[in-house]
Amino acid sequence: MDALDVARWQFGVTTVYHFLFVPLTIGLSVLVAILQTLWHRTGDEKYLKLTKFYGKLFLINFAMGVVTGIVQEFQFGMNWSDYSRFVGDIFGAPLAIEALVAFFLESTFIGLWIFGWDRLPKRLHLASIWAAAIGTNLSAYFILAANSFMQNPVGYWVNPETGRAELTDFVAVLTNKVALITFPHTIAGAFLVAGSLLVAVALWHLIRNRDSADTPAYRFAARFGSWVTLISAAAVVITGDIQGKIMTQVQPMKMAAAEGLYTTESPASFSVLTVGSLDGTRELFAIKIPYLLSYLGTGDPNGTVHGINDLQAAYTAQYGPGSYTPIIPVTYWSFRFMIGFGLAAAAIALLVLWTQRKGRTPTSKWLLRAGLAMPVLPLLANSFGWIFTEMGRQPWIVFGEMLTRDGVSRSVSLAEVLTSFAAFTLIYATLAVIEVKLLIRYAKAGVPDVTPDPEPDDTDDAERPLAFAY
Amino acid sequence: MELTTIWFLLVAVLFTGYFILEGFDFGVGMLLPVLGRDDRERRVMINTIGPVWDGNEVWLITAGGAMFAAFPEWYATLFSGFYLPLLLILLALIARGVAFEYRHKRPEAAWKRRWDAAIFFGSLIPAILWGVAFANILRGVPLAADHEYAGGLLDLLHPYALLGGATTAALFLTHGAVFVALKTVGDIRDRAAALAVRLGVAAAVLAVAFLTWTLTIRSSTAAVVLAVGAALALLGGLAAAKVRREGWAFTGTAVAIALAVATLFAALFPNVLPSTLDPAGTLTATNAASTPYTLKIMTWVAVFFTPIVLAYQGWTYWVFRKRIGVAHIPQH
């Protein structure tokens, strides 16, 4: 074990952890904004109840996303300083813009929304949650543009004098085709999580507490959440399909690694499940769908998909001796878990809609259990998606330009990076327990009573308690 | 003006903004066990910064992003070199950020006590360590010719750096006390105002000592003028606090912090991280910078968006301008 390994583990753990909170922030901010808009438009109290209820869950999650996000920005410089030196001219810009354009918007307007129930006119208060939601979604674009440069570097040259990558076309970086497709894929994945959370919580109350006066609110939330889940699942599949084709063009090794495809095939079949030896020489057991991989990768059922062995030989010729192959079991299984868990969430959403057809109320204990598992499934799908796309890029930190091992900080000792890894793991694990317990506590508490909010009045509220206080 | 100079100034402005804004919310956090005598008073204090602390912290994220984009070598060397202090700052910011949001989520006294500790230490640690970090930037650190940090943790802890840490902590404590006096009503307001004056005297002594020491290490005419201005602003702020002109007192401490940070950057220029080991290792605004193309794009983005950010963030402070007291804290 050396500092490089620990730095990689730390990046993996802190990033996956951060991304447990990000999808809910992205998706739920918009869904809460929609709920509040519905209340604003119809005046129906059930929407206000749902806004406040899911708003609370959103904020419990939001705080974690914010604080774990700062670690991400600092980590590039702390653990990956040679990477930062190499790409800073390109990679720093989207990060700085993300902070200036998106994070300020998000954090300022979240503050206004949380504390503004009695301070702002209704319309402005509604606009605040929308501004925060827009900021959150914008931030995703900039960080994904930065990540896409690592997957498919564009708009740059490597200056032989300075030895670093330098920006030549910023528009090309922002319109990187990997970024353009990864953004909707990631956003759809985020809504899959948010929709599932809506369903899980609402279903729990619907089935456990059937005579509640708030049944109509939960019914709406369960149905709304199911539709969001289904539509996002469709969007995830469509964008994932396009993404696969782009990946086959720009990172063919990643596609081959997703499949464990060792030899070039045309047409290539998709392996649903293969158990074999790691070097691909022996196959013990396999379920395959003919033509599917060719279609996924190229759009043509008879298209050629390059295999790992051929790509490894080609890269060795191009970049010199070395292994250019990711860890195949990791990429193979993370790719399948991503798809499998995502589809499972969609299937449960379909079931929830079916059990509520024509005004019925679901009663099944099994459905309740499935519903409770629901938010966990797309979270796992999101995590495995990131593990797949980042591990599938290895051994590169910037594809074709810099190896991961060359990006690590030389001045940071093993002891230092072990200290930080241990510290982050410990504090993150502690906070995870606290966070989940709080979420469950507030989810169980159910929708709040809503007394009508008086219009803000500047003259006679000197002694009136605040509508919300920490 | 050269683009690298513009970006040196912008990074300086971002850190100045960060220390003015998060300076008072660090101060409020550190004063929580001192000024907040019971749960309601502590809640009053937390709620004075509740709507704004997150936006304040984004100044740091933007400053970090701007360093990365405009001066990648500076960002890379500084963040990897100051590894353990930055780790502590991150852990502190994590704990305190979550604490603000989670503290009121459960009624138990033990639960609140733990989050109060998180807010206190989460504010104290960065308030000290930012001073330590900036003192080290000013004094210089051992850098090899390839700009890599060549020292250890102990190289960052010397009397000058510790004085820097004490100075920022004292300034932020004063700034926070003045802020509490400005934003509250009732008994706590009186106690905060009285404490601000006492803290302010200590902060003034420390700040004068630290800035004088700084100017003996490296200096420029501008730095001397700014340092004198910082001292005067702080004294003015204290005088205003003494006669209970809290708006002026806050203006005074804010300007004092701004001018003190400006002093550091003015003394530093054109270096961004001097080397005490190999002069070739010294990072300057020129040799640490990104390409003119990147800087130009970033300049346009900053020119367009910074006024918008300032406008809506300023408006937030206007929306939450009212003083609060124990009567405003809801029961639950």
Side-chain angles (χ1 to χ4, degrees):
Chain A
M1 183 176 62
D2 54 18
L4 170 67
D5 296 326
V6 185
R8 287 186 63 188
W9 271 104
Q10 182 183 310
F11 198 87
V13 167
T14 53
T15 307
V16 167
Y17 189 80
H18 176 56
F19 212 77
L20 294 177
F21 308 104
V22 172
L24 261 187
T25 302
I26 291 175
L28 213 47
S29 61
V30 175
L31 297 187
V32 169
I34 291 174
L35 288 169
Q36 191 170 343
T37 308
L38 286 172
W39 172 60
H40 195 78
R41 286 279 169 85
T42 63
D44 186 339
E45 251 187 16
K46 88 178 167 214
Y47 298 124
L48 177 60
K49 286 180 173 184
L50 290 173
T51 303
K52 294 209 165 187
F53 177 55
Y54 285 110
K56 262 187 197 149
L57 302 182
F58 165 69
L59 290 174
I60 291 171
N61 167 80
F62 178 79
M64 294 290 289
V66 169
V67 297
T68 53
I70 311 174
V71 175
Q72 295 309 99
E73 192 204 38
F74 276 48
Q75 192 164 203
F76 294 114
M78 289 170 74
N79 282 343
W80 303 97
S81 58
D82 272 357
Y83 164 77
S84 302
R85 288 190 179 98
F86 180 68
V87 296
D89 196 62
I90 302 147
F91 193 85
L95 260 62
I97 297 173
E98 181 188 23
L100 185 64
V101 175
F103 288 155
F104 270 122
L105 194 66
E106 178 185 2
S107 60
T108 309
F109 282 93
I110 271 294
L112 281 162
W113 186 70
I114 299 174
F115 288 88
W117 284 97
D118 62 342
R119 296 269 166 216
L120 290 172
K122 261 180 164 181
R123 249 172 212 284
L124 261 176
H125 186 253
L126 176 64
S128 298
I129 186 71
W130 277 109
I134 289 167
T136 304
N137 281 267
L138 262 181
S139 80
Y141 191 81
F142 291 109
I143 195 65
L144 290 172
N147 178 266
S148 296
F149 181 82
M150 302 165 80
Q151 314 287 351
N152 177 41
V154 290
Y156 76 108
W157 76 309
V158 177
N159 186 336
E161 263 178 55
T162 57
R164 65 179 185 179
E166 293 180 352
L167 188 61
T168 56
D169 186 351
F170 189 55
V171 176
V173 170
L174 287 185
T175 56
N176 188 338
K177 58 183 169 185
V178 175
L180 291 179
I181 193 61
T182 306
F183 178 68
H185 190 64
T186 309
I187 296 293
F191 277 89
L192 199 63
V193 180
S196 298
L197 183 86
L198 245 62
V199 179
V201 176
L203 203 60
W204 190 85
H205 285 284
L206 267 183
I207 296 180
R208 290 283 301 260
N209 201 359
R210 297 180 55 196
D211 305 321
S212 160
D214 290 315
T215 297
Y218 294 126
R219 275 188 67 82
F220 174 80
R223 292 175 57 84
F224 178 48
S226 297
W227 279 112
V228 169
T229 307
L230 281 178
I231 293 167
S232 346
V236 169
V237 170
I238 294 164
T239 52
D241 178 50
I242 301 170
Q243 204 178 18
K245 289 172 177 62
I246 292 173
M247 184 171 75
T248 309
Q249 287 170 31
V250 300
Q251 291 176 292
M253 181 60 101
K254 199 193 277 186
M255 191 54 166
E259 269 305 298
L261 180 74
Y262 280 87
T263 48
T264 302
E265 283 181 17
S266 52
S269 52
F270 179 86
S271 133
V272 177
L273 183 74
T274 301
V275 180
S277 64
L278 276 186
D279 58 1
T281 49
R282 265 182 325 125
E283 215 167 75
L284 300 174
F285 171 79
I287 307 170
K288 290 190 171 184
I289 305 173
Y291 303 108
L292 184 60
L293 181 61
S294 282
Y295 176 75
L296 287 178
T298 65
D300 172 1
N302 288 306
T304 303
V305 180
H306 292 283
I308 293 163
N309 296 337
D310 298 333
L311 291 166
Q312 168 67 32
Y315 288 156
T316 310
Q318 192 178 353
Y319 302 114
S323 167
Y324 298 96
T325 310
I327 307 170
I328 302 303
V330 173
T331 50
Y332 180 87
W333 287 109
S334 57
F335 190 64
R336 270 148 198 78
F337 286 148
M338 171 184 78
I339 297 171
F341 285 127
L343 289 179
I348 299 172
L350 206 57
L351 206 63
V352 172
L353 282 178
W354 172 252
T355 54
Q356 291 197 72
R357 68 194 184 281
K358 292 179 190 154
R360 284 169 227 230
T361 303
T363 51
S364 157
K365 281 268 183 291
W366 283 105
L367 187 67
L368 175 64
R369 282 177 201 138
L372 289 180
M374 213 172 140
V376 180
L377 298 170
L379 270 183
L380 288 171
N382 273 281
S383 299
F384 280 113
W386 275 110
I387 291 170
F388 166 68
T389 204
E390 293 296 290
M391 290 299 285
R393 191 188 61 233
Q394 302 302 325
W396 300 103
I397 193 163
V398 180
F399 181 78
E401 292 293 352
M402 187 186 225
L403 294 170
T404 303
R405 65 163 183 262
D406 296 330
V408 77
S409 295
R410 282 169 286 148
S411 65
V412 176
S413 67
L414 174 63
E416 284 175 316
V417 66
L418 270 177
T419 308
S420 63
F421 183 38
F424 283 129
T425 307
L426 206 68
I427 195 170
Y428 279 11
T430 312
L431 289 177
V433 174
I434 295 169
E435 203 251 4
V436 170
K437 277 189 178 170
L438 268 186
L439 275 179
I440 291 172
R441 181 188 176 98
Y442 276 83
K444 274 187 177 170
V447 296
D449 281 333
V450 283
T451 42
D453 276 46
E455 287 296 315
D457 184 344
D458 278 331
T459 49
D460 70 341
D461 65 347
E463 293 298 316
R464 189 150 48 93
L466 302 166
F468 175 86
Y470 273 156
Chain B
M1 200 187 296
E2 288 194 34
L3 281 170
T4 49
T5 309
I6 291 175
W7 274 92
F8 180 90
L9 285 172
L10 277 173
V11 171
V13 166
L14 288 168
F15 273 107
T16 306
Y18 174 62
F19 288 131
I20 292 174
L21 294 173
E22 190 124 286
F24 71 73
D25 67 51
F26 282 151
V28 173
M30 288 187 279
L31 291 170
L32 197 62
V34 183
L35 278 176
R37 286 195 302 211
D38 55 28
D39 182 54
R40 278 174 98 80
E41 283 196 354
R42 286 192 282 276
R43 288 185 68 186
V44 168
M45 292 176 70
I46 292 168
N47 279 288
T48 61
I49 56 172
V52 294
W53 75 268
D54 190 8
N56 294 349
E57 204 156 285
V58 177
W59 283 79
L60 171 65
I61 300 171
T62 309
M67 269 175 109
F68 196 174
F71 303 105
E73 288 276 353
W74 188 14
Y75 167 79
T77 302
L78 188 71
F79 280 52
S80 58
F82 292 14
Y83 195 85
L84 292 175
L86 282 177
L87 171 66
L88 280 174
I89 288 174
L90 286 175
L91 296 173
L93 293 182
I94 291 171
R96 98 192 257 281
V98 175
F100 288 135
E101 187 58 46
Y102 286 5
R103 184 189 185 278
H104 69 287
K105 293 279 181 219
R106 293 177 67 130
E108 297 89 339
W111 169 269
K112 293 189 169 188
R113 217 164 34 238
R114 272 181 221 133
W115 291 119
D116 284 346
I119 291 173
F120 174 74
F121 288 107
S123 304
L124 177 71
I125 291 169
I128 295 173
L129 287 180
W130 283 124
V132 172
F134 271 82
N136 274 297
I137 293 173
L138 258 294
R139 181 174 179 263
V141 292
L143 297 180
D146 62 354
H147 306 316
E148 279 288 341
Y149 181 68
L153 177 62
L154 292 179
D155 290 295
L156 301 176
L157 302 174
H158 41 76
Y160 170 65
L162 297 178
L163 179 61
T167 305
T168 45
L171 277 175
F172 295 161
L173 276 166
T174 310
H175 196 37
V178 169
F179 184 75
V180 173
L182 176 68
K183 297 296 290 182
T184 58
V185 288
D187 190 40
I188 191 167
R189 175 182 174 190
D190 298 334
R191 277 181 282 126
L195 187 61
V197 177
R198 274 183 284 149
L199 285 169
V201 173
V205 172
L206 287 166
V208 168
F210 176 66
L211 289 180
T212 310
W213 195 339
T214 302
L215 295 174
T216 63
I217 296 173
R218 60 189 78 242
S219 181
S220 65
T221 319
V224 175
V225 172
L226 289 165
V228 172
L232 291 177
L234 186 54
L235 293 178
L238 291 184
K242 182 98 188 144
V243 298
R244 303 297 297 274
R245 297 290 297 270
E246 281 133 7
W248 284 110
F250 185 72
T251 310
T253 50
V255 171
I257 290 173
L259 293 179
V261 179
T263 305
L264 301 183
F265 278 94
L268 186 64
F269 189 78
N271 297 319
V272 293
L273 191 58
S275 169
T276 54
L277 188 69
D278 185 339
T282 292
L283 287 168
T284 67
T286 317
N287 73 7
S290 285
T291 55
Y293 176 65
T294 297
L295 293 179
K296 208 156 74 187
I297 289 168
M298 293 299 301
T299 305
W300 281 112
V301 173
V303 163
F304 187 78
F305 283 102
T306 311
I308 299 174
V309 169
L310 288 174
Y312 65 65
Q313 210 173 27
W315 176 66
T316 307
Y317 280 88
W318 174 253
V319 169
F320 298 108
R321 67 194 175 278
K322 280 198 195 112
R323 292 173 180 272
I324 54 172
V326 284
H328 297 100
I329 300 300
Q331 278 304 334
H332 50 85

